[in-house]
Amino acid sequence: MTLSIKDFTTDAKNTSTDYSQAFRDAWKALCEADEKDEATSLVIHANETYTIQPQLFQGPCVSRDIHIQIDGTIEAPKMIEEWGDIGESKCWLCFKNVTGIVLNGSGVLNPHGEAWWSSVDHSNRPRAVGFNASSDIIYSGLTQFNSPKNHVSVFNCTNATLSNLHLIAPGDSPNTDGIDIALSNNVQVFNSSIQTGDDCVAINGGSYDINITHVACGPGHGISIGSLGRGGLNETVKNVQVRHCSFNGTENGARIKTWAGGKGFARNITYENITLIDAKYPIIIDQNYCNGGHNCKSGATAVKVSDVTFRNFTGTCSSDIAMKLACDKLVSCQNIVIENINIVSSSPKKHLSSSCQYADVVTHFVNTAIKCAIDEEPRPQARRRSMLNLRH
């Protein structure tokens, strides 16, 4: 048996009505179902639209096979004052302490985040969809518009698969990341389109075994490791694979960003088979990141960046700089491999340059020269016509 929201309300035709209580009742029925003779599935049909306030769908549940299929539309109130309490989780649709959930369908989630962007500081805005302290998650097929903050958050989770998602917000919408991952492992993101105003995907501290494949990013700020180490934190990221992705009109492409004064590491990271269309900064490592601040100073410590590969990049760059490795003088970047790179300017006859400081770099077949000694200040390198096969 499959449940419907209509099973929990007597007024399923009035889209101006708040259906928060109906969704809470539906979740209670799903979570308490014993899987034998009680329904563990809920469907929102294609012709249905529901407005709901922030919801916390909390476990642990009796069932480990909950299925919610959204083919219709779920939206938040358009006015901020109608949202009610966003709670400590600061999330619109939040799943916490749930093991075994499938959330899929062809429907739309619209939290009307545009009301928040200019009137509420980003630290106080809610995320649209959040998975917290959960495992065995499948999230697939849905389209999300205009989150107040990041569209999807995966926090302290294990075994999460996110696929065939369409995350959409204007390119100038503030802090509207596509997918943020933190303190999580065994996370797969694939076959998705992310067009937002910040990182398409951000992989933050405490995360490992992350695979991102066939993601079309742009507009946005690229697919980023970090930022890590803010405020002196000890944060780690390892075993990340980003493959067969594209960056179209993005601020960055493949980026690793760590704060001066931080601790920890980012290692065993690969960006491979990447297509660039007018990406501003296609390859960047910044070990002294300060989120657009000025007079950023080096700290006594830094997050160590090592064992990073950029392989098979092709396409166009909209700035003058194809690659920028800005590593820390005391810690430096170790074992950075750059190979099979063919990046050209978006402007005809314009040559690109690259810059590098304090990095141990190996290059093979790179069409824009990058020279970097471990103890050197940055030296911009003009584009060469010949391919490189050198160790610097």
Side-chain angles (χ1 to χ4, degrees), residues 5 19-20 23 42-46 48-53 55 57 68-77 92-93 95 103-104 107-112 129 142-145:
I5 292 298
Y19 288 91
S20 300
F23 273 79
L42 171 71
V43 173
I44 289 89
H45 297 282
E48 297 174 351
T49 298
Y50 298 109
T51 301
I52 61 174
Q53 292 180 337
Q55 301 290 306
F57 303 115
I68 300 174
Q69 182 171 324
I70 302 172
D71 293 326
T73 298
I74 301 176
E75 58 184 5
W92 178 45
L93 303 179
F95 297 84
L103 178 62
N104 68 353
V108 172
L109 304 178
N110 191 348
H112 296 292
V129 175
L142 293 166
T143 297
Q144 290 182 230
F145 288 106

Side-chain angles (χ1 to χ4, degrees), residues 259-260 286 288-299:
W259 290 78
D286 187 355
N288 289 294
Y289 175 78
C290 57
N291 197 22
H294 300 286
N295 301 317
C296 305
K297 298 179 180 179
S298 297

Side-chain angles (χ1 to χ4, degrees), residues 229-380:
R230 184 173 189 174
L233 288 176
N234 187 331
E235 296 186 298
T236 65
V237 169
K238 65 180 180 179
N239 304 340
V240 177
Q241 306 288 332
V242 180
R243 292 191 169 104
H244 301 288
C245 293
S246 64
F247 299 105
N248 189 343
T250 53
E251 181 75 13
N252 308 288
R255 177 167 64 157
I256 299 173
K257 48 181 176 175
T258 68
W259 290 78
K263 304 178 185 68
F265 59 79
R267 67 187 183 207
N268 295 337
I269 296 162
T270 297
Y271 290 89
E272 185 174 31
N273 300 328
I274 303 298
T275 299
L276 306 163
I277 305 169
D278 296 337
K280 190 172 183 180
Y281 300 113
I283 294 174
I284 181 167
I285 297 177
D286 187 355
Q287 249 181 327
N288 289 294
Y289 175 78
C290 57
N291 197 22
H294 300 286
N295 301 317
C296 305
K297 298 179 180 179
S298 297
T301 60
V303 177
K304 185 175 182 179
V305 177
S306 65
D307 305 314
V308 179
T309 298
F310 303 99
R311 180 186 294 122
N312 299 339
F313 279 59
T314 184
T316 56
C317 169
S318 64
S319 73
D320 296 332
I321 302 174
M323 296 174 281
K324 182 179 180 181
L325 308 184
C327 297
D328 183 81
K329 184 175 183 178
L330 295 177
V331 176
S332 74
C333 299
Q334 300 286 334
N335 191 27
I336 310 301
V337 177
I338 304 175
E339 59 185 11
N340 296 332
I341 307 296
N342 185 17
I343 303 173
V344 298
S345 174
S346 302
S347 303
K349 299 182 180 180
K350 185 177 182 179
H351 288 180
L352 299 179
S353 63
S354 296
S355 67
C356 181
Q357 64 176 342
Y358 310 123
D360 169 30
V361 181
V362 180
T363 65
H364 301 283
F365 303 107
V366 178
N367 75 323
T368 302
I370 182 166
K371 183 178 180 180
C372 194
I374 201 71
D375 57 352
E376 286 185 347
E377 296 287 348
R379 293 182 180 179

